[in-house]
Amino acid sequence: MPGQSIEQDEQEDQDADPGEHQKGAAALIAPYRNGAVLGIFLILLVGGLKLGQALLVPVFAALLTGLLLGRVQDWLERLGVSPALGAGAIMAVLLAVVLGSVRLLFIPFEEWSAALPEIYAALKRQLLSVRELLLTIEQATDAVQETTGIDASGEAMAVSAPGILSGLAVSVPATIGQLILFSGVLFFYLASRSRLSKQLAEAGQSYPSLSNFKTISETAENSVSTYLSTVSLINLGLAVATGVLLALVGLPNAWFWGTLAGLLNFVPYVGPLLLTFLLLGAGLLQEGTFLQIISPALVFFAVNFLEANFVTPTVLGRSLLIEPLFVFLSLGFWLWLWGPVGALMAVPLLLVIQAVVSHMLSKADF
């Protein structure tokens, strides 16, 4: 009978082993288990990177700088220089370059920072020239003043940049600690890289995972070193071209703006865009026509356009070019995670991640 068969099925379900139901549930969850574990791992990883920013930023920066300078260290060792002496010489030259750059840029930077109120006043004068657009705003301001009694006479807003020295004084201990950590990691990485490479090669014969790590590290080092050295030369050329052209259009301290262009170009998209706005502000201080005011920004825009669309793709080649979408996502992620320093390291870190992913895909069995 149909009713009896239904009752028998229900009875069989009740008599079934509970372990079978658990196995069935586990089988349903199994395909999603790895994804859930990976998601939890990524959340913990991002949280750890965020919390450990003060420690990890100088360490990562030192390792990436070591990847750039590793070939110089190898060259010194092939000349017979001891690893420690070679690393010390590289550190001394790097320190001299940094201190010299800071010394050259500090005075012009202070001058332009002090000129911010004047830039604002010049911008206001330019806007006031478009009288028709501001007439409605002025009438509304007068109406608000008559109604509320608030004085909206509109003195020029004082835009004061915080003093560099006072800002550093607040965080001197942390800054000094990070600089010491950066210097120490960079020195010992350069001094021990050849020895570590030999030890990994020997250990890789017994432990394949170490051999894979050595392959990944070598690939990442080649990619980052080639990219950073090539981009450094490109940005040097960009700095010279920008400085010369800005001097021709009559912008004061053209060499300062050229140097700033080369430095900011290490941060894709954001750096050139920031400098374009800064040059617009600097142009407002120049007397002349509208075209003369925007000419510094136009000059840099033209130079940067040629560099980004023709010079860099031609020099780097297809092997080191990265999809702009990935560059932009990496830039946004590291900028959010570690601020401006993270943005500076975004592309090199993306190259390291690319080396790891490429190696894993090459070993995967599809």
Side-chain angles (χ1 to χ4, degrees):
M1 297 289 293
Q4 293 179 351
S5 62
I6 294 175
E7 292 177 357
Q8 290 176 357
D9 292 339
E10 292 177 351
Q11 186 64 32
E12 289 176 358
D13 291 339
Q14 294 175 358
D15 296 339
D17 186 4
E20 295 295 331
H21 292 288
Q22 295 177 357
K23 291 180 180 179
L28 292 174
I29 297 174
Y32 308 100
R33 184 181 303 163
N34 293 336
V37 172
L38 178 60
I40 294 172
F41 170 76
L42 291 177
I43 292 174
L44 293 175
L45 176 62
V46 172
L49 291 173
K50 188 70 173 178
L51 292 175
Q53 176 179 352
L55 174 66
L56 295 177
V57 166
V59 172
F60 276 55
L63 293 177
L64 291 175
T65 306
L67 293 179
L68 172 63
L69 301 175
R71 293 180 179 179
V72 180
Q73 176 72 14
D74 292 339
W75 176 72
L76 290 175
E77 291 183 13
R78 285 196 298 269
L79 292 178
V81 180
S82 66
L85 184 59
I90 292 175
M91 293 289 295
V93 173
L94 182 63
L95 180 62
V97 170
V98 171
L99 292 179
S101 301
V102 171
R103 176 66 182 86
L104 289 174
L105 293 176
F106 182 79
I107 295 178
F109 182 78
E110 236 187 358
E111 292 176 355
W112 284 104
S113 298
L116 285 178
E118 189 177 351
I119 293 175
Y120 174 79
L123 178 60
K124 188 176 180 181
R125 287 195 300 269
Q126 293 296 326
L127 292 176
L128 286 174
S129 64
V130 192
R131 195 66 182 173
E132 295 80 7
L133 295 178
L134 297 178
L135 192 56
T136 305
I137 298 176
E138 290 177 358
Q139 293 174 349
T141 302
D142 292 338
V144 170
Q145 181 179 355
E146 292 175 1
T147 304
T148 62
I150 298 176
D151 183 10
S153 57
E155 289 187 4
M157 182 180 68
V159 181
S160 59
I164 298 176
L165 295 179
S166 61
L168 288 177
V170 177
S171 57
V172 161
T175 302
I176 293 177
Q178 289 181 330
L179 289 176
I180 292 175
L181 180 60
F182 170 85
S183 303
V185 173
L186 178 59
F187 174 81
F188 288 111
Y189 172 81
L190 292 174
S192 61
R193 61 188 304 276
S194 58
R195 184 173 66 254
L196 288 175
S197 180
K198 293 178 182 178
Q199 292 175 350
L200 283 176
E202 295 174 356
Q205 299 176 356
S206 303
Y207 302 97
S209 59
L210 291 179
S211 178
N212 293 334
F213 177 77
K214 183 176 184 297
T215 302
I216 293 173
S217 62
E218 289 177 349
T219 303
E221 181 176 10
N222 290 332
S223 298
V224 173
S225 177
T226 302
Y227 175 85
L228 289 179
S229 57
T230 305
V231 169
S232 297
L233 292 176
I234 293 174
N235 290 347
L236 178 61
L238 176 74
V240 173
T242 302
V244 170
L245 292 175
L246 290 179
L248 291 177
V249 299
L251 185 68
N253 294 325
W255 61 268
F256 163 74
W257 292 107
T259 305
L260 196 60
L263 293 176
L264 289 178
N265 204 47
F266 279 101
V267 184
Y269 308 120
V270 176
L273 182 63
L274 175 60
L275 186 63
T276 301
F277 282 110
L278 292 176
L279 287 173
L280 282 174
L284 289 172
L285 298 179
Q286 311 305 310
E287 298 295 335
T289 63
F290 177 75
L291 182 59
Q292 291 173 327
I293 290 173
I294 65 172
S295 59
L298 288 179
V299 164
F300 172 71
F301 178 82
V303 174
N304 181 256
F305 180 83
L306 293 174
E307 174 270 323
N309 292 278
F310 298 99
V311 177
T312 297
T314 302
V315 175
L316 283 181
R318 298 184 62 87
S319 60
L320 283 178
L321 285 180
I322 310 172
E323 287 295 329
L325 174 62
F326 296 148
V327 173
F328 197 78
L329 291 175
S330 177
L331 182 66
F333 174 76
W334 292 108
L335 181 63
W336 164 76
L337 194 67
W338 286 346
V341 179
L344 191 63
M345 296 189 292
V347 176
L349 288 173
L350 181 60
L351 289 171
V352 174
I353 295 173
Q354 179 178 270
V356 175
V357 172
S358 298
H359 182 79
M360 293 176 62
L361 291 178
S362 66
K363 296 295 183 179
D365 186 13
F366 294 104

